[in-house]
Amino acid sequence: MLKRAGALFGDSEFINVHLRSTLSAWGLGLLIATLIAVPLGVLLGSVPIVNTATRSLVEFLRPIPSVALIPLVGLILGLGLQMKVTLIVYAAVWPVLFNTVYGLRDVDPVAKETMRTFGFGPLAVLWRVGLPASAPFIYTGVRMASSIALILTIGTEILSGFGEGVGIFIAQANNDPSGTGDVLAGTVWAGCLGLIANAVLVRGERRLFRWHLREERA
């Protein structure tokens, strides 16, 4: 299994077609989810009336499994990059959204009141205190979303069974009576992608938010 997984590293079709397709969908979906979730989380976390008005809708949509939407999204958008990105965005937006809201709620009220005492308005307080203090929470949400996005990318590819991607490679190998080695090798690659993505994001968190980690240890 490991020998076959290593051999795939030199397989130009696997690297340039399947692996690139999976990484492209994963990266694009995670980026769009972050760009949607952070502003929306800031709105919900800083404007209580908006949070109250949308709470029922959010709580209704959040439990819906993204995998259950594959047939519907496939009928509307077809099988391809658009379908994968749409499902990734739907699944990855929630951890970033809720971590942004929780991060804003965890901001030190003394710091906010001090800013207001010196005459700063709500937007200035949000920009100078709220967002910097909640940034570690937002980053943690992105790290959690990255794992969810990768799982959903490969899972969607396996269930769709058509197109390009590591999941497609696994699904097609599974249909071959002699493809057990490729199935296991593809699974190893999927696991390695998750480990590498998480390691890179954890390293970035340690470099960007050393002050926050020191506060947690204290």
Side-chain angles (χ1 to χ4, degrees):
M1 177 182 67
L2 295 177
K3 181 179 179 180
R4 178 54 181 155
L8 289 177
F9 189 77
D11 188 332
S12 59
E13 181 181 358
F14 178 80
I15 298 296
N16 297 326
V17 177
H18 295 298
L19 184 61
R20 178 178 294 181
S21 177
T22 295
L23 291 177
S24 298
W26 171 76
L28 182 59
L30 184 60
L31 176 61
I32 295 174
T34 303
L35 293 176
I36 292 173
V38 172
L40 187 57
V42 170
L43 180 63
L44 296 179
S46 57
V47 185
I49 190 173
V50 176
N51 187 23
T52 303
T54 58
R55 184 177 302 166
S56 298
L57 179 62
V58 170
E59 293 299 330
F60 171 74
L61 293 175
R62 182 176 60 163
I64 300 176
S66 300
V67 177
L69 299 175
I70 290 177
L72 176 62
V73 177
L75 286 174
I76 297 174
L77 300 177
L79 300 177
L81 181 62
Q82 286 184 325
M83 182 191 75
K84 289 192 287 186
V85 170
T86 300
L87 293 168
I88 292 167
V89 169
Y90 181 80
V93 76
W94 301 113
V96 183
L97 173 65
F98 285 104
N99 270 48
T100 303
V101 173
Y102 295 150
L104 288 172
R105 290 178 181 174
D106 196 61
V107 176
D108 186 1
V110 176
K112 294 192 290 186
E113 288 300 326
T114 302
M115 291 288 290
R116 295 190 186 103
T117 301
F118 282 97
F120 289 93
L123 291 178
V125 173
L126 176 65
W127 180 256
R128 293 174 180 268
V129 177
L131 288 178
S134 60
F137 293 89
I138 297 173
Y139 191 93
T140 300
V142 173
R143 184 160 61 86
M144 294 168 59
S146 70
S147 299
I148 295 172
L150 185 59
I151 292 171
L152 193 64
T153 303
I154 296 176
T156 301
E157 291 170 349
I158 291 175
L159 291 177
S160 65
F162 176 79
E164 301 168 347
V166 175
I168 299 297
F169 176 84
I170 294 173
Q172 291 176 346
N174 189 52
N175 293 328
D176 186 347
S178 61
T180 304
D182 283 345
V183 171
L184 296 175
T187 304
V188 169
W189 270 88
C192 289
L193 289 177
L195 288 173
I196 293 171
N198 185 67
V200 170
L201 290 170
V202 168
R203 184 176 180 83
E205 183 178 25
R206 290 173 179 171
R207 293 178 63 89
L208 292 173
F209 305 112
R210 292 179 181 175
W211 54 272
H212 181 71
L213 296 175
R214 284 196 295 266
E215 288 179 358
E216 286 185 340
R217 294 191 187 101

